[in-house]
């Protein structure tokens, strides 16, 4: 049986700080976009979750990859019993999910706006911004914000996709999200609406978020190399 400590390459008596540092390093090394594989990345994430949950004796189970490098279980269709009702979806697909209005943080300085301006999104609507910088999309149930943005053709910044860095950080201006775990952002930031789009899902019908806030003060040391975002283009 593979030990989760061996996966993170730390001793079994490592303290929390050592485990956090090891996890961030192993996430960077194992990510498919940084030379690793989907299976290795999943193994690292699972090991970390087991350690912080104190479940270090459980066997690590990770699905094999398909030909495209994705976990095989993700490439298989869901059983018919688990699929949404096609007829109800066809009637009105917009009835489920959350409508998210987004704004690129990099546009604020160009227009002299502040992230806490009460009329920030009203000004953005009147500014004729590029569709990649301001717009709306639907987040379907069981989608996180990053997944939803990507599936609609938008290139939002990310690196680890596992909540281990701040590259995908967003500022929630209106509405709310559920972030199942947080081992990176300090409470001073989460209390002010800074969340991680790669693991956060909306819990309100409508939201307003500012994405690409990874350069906010305090987030520099929490970032990983962001090659995937730097190289991405809209509608790739």
């Amino acid at each position: 049986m593979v030990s989760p400590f061996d996966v993170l390459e730390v001793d079994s008596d490592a303290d929390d700080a050592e485990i956090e540092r090891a996890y961030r390093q192993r996430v960077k090394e194992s990510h498919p976009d940084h030379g690793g594989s989907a299976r290795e990345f999943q193994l690292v994430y699972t090991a970390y979750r087991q350690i912080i949950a104190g479940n270090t004796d459980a066997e690590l189970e990770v699905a094999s990859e398909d030909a495209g490098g994705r976990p095989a279980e993700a490439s298989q269709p869901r059983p018919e019993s688990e699929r949404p009702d096609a007829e109800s979806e066809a009637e009105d697909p917009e009835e489920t999910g959350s409508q998210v209005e987004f704004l690129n943080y990099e546009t604020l300085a160009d227009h002299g706006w502040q992230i806490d301006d009460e009329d920030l999104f009203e000004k953005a609507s009147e500014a004729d911004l590029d569709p990649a910088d301001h717009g709306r999309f639907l987040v379907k149930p069981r989608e996180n914000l990053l997944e939803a943005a990507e599936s609609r053709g938008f290139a939002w910044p990310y690196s680890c996709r596992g909540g281990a860095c701040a590259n995908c950080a967003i500022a929630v201006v209106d509405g709310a999200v559920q972030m199942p775990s947080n081992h990176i952002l300090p409470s001073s930031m989460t209390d002010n609406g800074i969340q991680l789009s790669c693991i956060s899902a909306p819990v309100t019908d409508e939201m307003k978020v500012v994405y690409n806030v990874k350069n906010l003060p305090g987030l520099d040391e929490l970032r990983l190399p962001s090659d995937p975002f730097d190289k991405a283009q809209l509608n790739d």
Side-chain angles (χ1 to χ4, degrees), residues 66 83 94 232:
D66 65 10
R83 297 175 192 168
E94 298 290 321

Side-chain angles (χ1 to χ4, degrees), residues 105-224:
Y105 179 71
E106 289 188 349
T107 65
L108 271 62
D110 295 338
H111 294 83
W113 301 336
Q114 299 296 322
I115 201 169
D116 56 355
D117 289 348
E118 292 185 4
D119 58 347
L120 177 61
F121 281 81
E122 287 77 3
K123 291 186 290 191
S125 297
E126 299 172 356
D128 192 28
L129 296 175
D130 186 279
D133 293 326
H134 175 250
R136 296 174 177 80
F137 58 76
L138 178 71
V139 182
K140 296 179 181 179
R142 295 179 295 279
E143 277 188 322
N144 61 51
L145 285 163
L146 179 61
E147 290 172 336
E150 291 177 332
S151 67
R152 278 63 172 178
F154 299 108
W156 283 19
Y158 73 89
S159 186
C160 77
R161 302 186 81 99
C165 71
N167 295 53
C168 72
I170 58 170
V172 178
V173 175
D174 189 36
V177 300
Q178 181 180 44
M179 191 166 64
S181 61
N182 173 40
H183 307 286
I184 292 296
L185 299 175
S187 59
S188 59
M189 289 189 173
T190 56
D191 290 346
N192 285 309
I194 305 300
Q195 307 287 326
L196 302 176
S197 66
C198 74
I199 58 172
S200 294
V203 293
T204 52
D205 292 338
E206 296 183 355
M207 288 188 63
K208 294 179 179 178
V209 304
V210 177
Y211 79 94
N212 200 19
V213 301
K214 63 184 184 295
N215 291 316
L216 281 174
L219 293 181
D220 287 357
E221 66 275 16
L222 304 179
R223 300 202 311 266
L224 290 175

Side-chain angles (χ1 to χ4, degrees), residues 2 14-15 22 25 29 32 47 49 51-52 71 87 93 106 119 144 151 162 164 167 205-206 209 228 232 234:
V2 179
D15 60 26
Q25 180 62 32
E29 296 170 346
R49 296 288 296 172
I51 291 175
I52 63 174
E87 183 177 349
E106 289 188 349
D119 58 347
N144 61 51
S151 67
N167 295 53
D205 292 338
E206 296 183 355
V209 304
L234 185 63

